[in-house]
Amino acid sequence: MTPVWWMAGLSGLSWLVAAALLDPQARIEVLYGMLGPLTMVIGSWVLLERAYRRNPQRLTAVMAAAFAGKLVFFGAYVAVMLRVLSLRPRTFVASFTSYFIALYLIEALYLRRLFAGGPGAAL
């Protein structure tokens, strides 16, 4: 579970830095831009790590199902944020995109370490 704490901690720290530099409305937009990707990357990390430790042969099927779920979630999430909460698109999309890319890069690096160590390895 250490990768989850690193991802959440770094996200929280980066939001605090952004909050210190931005106006109140932009702070909220950055926060919402961060929360969707953070929630999904933590959920997918926990799901993939458990699936790999239980049965590495099922990992591809789990990853495909998780990808389909993420597509639906992110489509709905962005629509709700922009249409229902009426966030300004520029700040929200910049935050969402940067967190999305950074967090999934971190997840990929952690998965690489997990796969290199084998199902019984500890991070």
Side-chain angles (χ1 to χ4, degrees):
M1 293 303 283
T2 301
V4 169
W5 292 111
W6 275 106
M7 288 183 268
L10 290 174
S11 294
L13 181 63
S14 67
W15 182 79
L16 288 173
V17 170
L21 301 173
L22 300 171
D23 64 88
Q25 177 65 27
R27 290 177 193 158
I28 298 299
E29 292 160 349
V30 168
L31 179 64
Y32 283 129
M34 174 191 76
L35 288 178
L38 181 61
T39 300
M40 290 308 287
V41 79
I42 287 174
S44 79
W45 170 259
V46 170
L47 178 71
L48 296 176
E49 182 184 30
R50 287 181 181 172
Y52 182 70
R53 293 194 190 284
R54 287 184 185 150
N55 185 0
Q57 290 76 27
R58 285 199 17 85
L59 189 62
T60 301
V62 172
M63 288 178 92
F67 179 74
K70 289 175 195 178
L71 286 175
V72 172
F73 173 81
F74 283 130
Y77 184 78
V78 170
V80 166
M81 294 298 126
L82 296 178
R83 298 284 184 198
V84 176
L85 296 181
S86 301
L87 299 179
R88 294 179 298 190
R90 184 179 301 167
T91 308
F92 171 74
V93 170
S95 172
F96 180 87
T97 304
S98 60
Y99 277 104
F100 183 87
I101 292 168
L103 288 170
Y104 278 97
L105 177 63
I106 292 169
E107 182 188 33
L109 294 172
Y110 277 127
L111 284 172
R112 184 174 180 208
R113 286 182 58 198
L114 177 67
F115 298 156
L123 290 176

